[in-house]
Amino acid sequence: MATDQSFTDITASTARETLSNDAPDWTTTRLAIVHQFAPRQSLRFDISRVSRFGLRDETVTVAAYTPASNKTTLYFEAMKSREHNFLPSNAIQAQLLQSFEQGYGAAVSVRHARYDTSNVTIGEITLEKYFDNYGAAVTVYPSHSSSAGNAVSYRAAGAYYYGQRSNLQISLSRGNELDRAAAFLPITSTDIRSINIYGRHAFDDAWALDYALGRATRAHLTHHEFGAGVSFRFQ
């Protein structure tokens, strides 16, 4: 049954990453549908097409938020890739989010991804603080692969919220990630340094523009990313 706090968001977006050394661009096209039943209770379905080095992966993801108590929220996600040329063939994630007094919060999660020849498990530990129209968070991502060993990366983020649906965010990341660029390459621990600016600007109660700009260095390649999307909300 719909309530005055229920709505549906439909977002279509695209992103392009230009790479150094004359490497082919990476592209991502995504369609996402989110239905909120009530605050902290929502269901998301999205499909995406990702291209890297001339290879393509298509994914389907289903995710849900549900409250466990007044201050505890649970998140579950499942992803499937048909081709899995470089993305995992499937992945599952579970997360617990906890709110505290005075605007503090914390989150812990585990994500398990299955590749053709190896598995990768990624943890997440986040501490955050909200004050007035601002937010700040620090996150640690420990990860383990059955073939590439252990790695850890760190992320610091800040956010400014304005209006009911608009925000501007920035994040800095540094560390090592476990990933592979293509099916013919093994999973490796890659040094990563990145800065990203992203957000959403709502024009009214229905329409909003999503945007993202970023620069990242992964191993010997430098990535410059630009992304944009359009979101439509209705009740």
Side-chain angles (χ1 to χ4, degrees), residues 3 35-37 48 98 103 129 133 138 140 154:
T3 71
H35 180 74
Q36 177 173 292
F37 302 93
S48 65
Q98 183 68 42
K129 166 68 174 176
N133 294 333
V138 291
V140 180
Y154 308 89

Side-chain angles (χ1 to χ4, degrees), residues 108-142:
V108 293
S109 77
V110 176
R111 183 177 189 267
H112 184 74
R114 177 176 295 179
Y115 294 84
D116 294 336
T117 59
S118 182
N119 299 325
V120 175
T121 300
I122 304 173
E124 175 189 330
I125 305 170
T126 297
L127 298 176
E128 56 189 6
K129 166 68 174 176
Y130 294 94
F131 45 95
D132 296 328
N133 294 333
Y134 299 90
V138 291
T139 304
V140 180
Y141 298 97

Side-chain angles (χ1 to χ4, degrees), residues 4-235:
D4 58 359
Q5 294 179 311
S6 68
F7 58 81
T8 300
D9 267 350
I10 300 177
T11 303
S13 63
T14 184
R16 179 175 295 273
E17 295 183 51
T18 59
L19 279 62
S20 60
N21 296 347
D22 295 322
D25 292 353
W26 293 9
T27 61
T28 301
T29 305
R30 180 170 173 258
L31 176 66
I33 302 173
V34 178
H35 180 74
Q36 177 173 292
F37 302 93
R40 299 189 298 129
Q41 186 175 17
S42 63
L43 181 66
R44 174 172 60 88
F45 173 81
D46 71 54
I47 56 176
S48 65
R49 175 178 290 182
V50 185
S51 297
R52 295 180 183 176
F53 300 121
L55 299 173
R56 187 179 70 188
D57 270 355
E58 295 180 348
T59 67
V60 176
T61 303
V62 178
Y65 283 99
T66 185
S69 68
N70 290 337
K71 294 187 176 183
T72 304
T73 304
L74 302 178
Y75 173 77
F76 302 98
E77 178 183 297
M79 184 276 285
K80 176 70 176 177
S81 170
R82 182 175 60 183
E83 297 88 356
H84 49 88
N85 286 313
F86 44 85
L87 296 177
S89 58
N90 58 76
I92 56 173
Q93 180 180 356
Q95 184 179 48
L96 184 148
L97 302 98
Q98 183 68 42
S99 297
F100 302 101
E101 301 295 334
Q102 300 180 342
Y104 288 95
V108 293
S109 77
V110 176
R111 183 177 189 267
H112 184 74
R114 177 176 295 179
Y115 294 84
D116 294 336
T117 59
S118 182
N119 299 325
V120 175
T121 300
I122 304 173
E124 175 189 330
I125 305 170
T126 297
L127 298 176
E128 56 189 6
K129 166 68 174 176
Y130 294 94
F131 45 95
D132 296 328
N133 294 333
Y134 299 90
V138 291
T139 304
V140 180
Y141 298 97
S143 56
H144 173 76
S145 166
S146 54
S147 61
N150 300 320
V152 61
S153 62
Y154 308 89
R155 180 175 182 265
Y160 169 63
Y161 302 93
Y162 60 100
Q164 280 192 318
R165 302 172 54 205
S166 300
N167 64 83
L168 171 63
Q169 304 190 48
I170 183 170
S171 67
L172 301 168
S173 298
R174 182 67 188 267
N176 290 276
E177 295 180 343
L178 298 175
D179 197 3
R180 70 174 181 179
F184 53 84
L185 297 176
I187 293 174
T188 58
S189 176
T190 303
D191 180 66
I192 172 74
R193 289 169 289 168
S194 69
I195 178 170
N196 294 278
I197 298 173
Y198 53 96
R200 167 173 287 186
H201 179 78
F203 298 101
D204 51 35
D205 292 339
W207 293 98
L209 172 69
D210 294 345
Y211 55 89
L213 295 170
R215 185 182 188 276
T217 301
R218 292 183 174 91
H220 60 286
L221 291 177
T222 299
H223 302 236
H224 291 91
E225 178 186 2
F226 172 77
V230 176
S231 176
F232 178 70
R233 174 174 293 187
F234 60 93
Q235 292 183 315

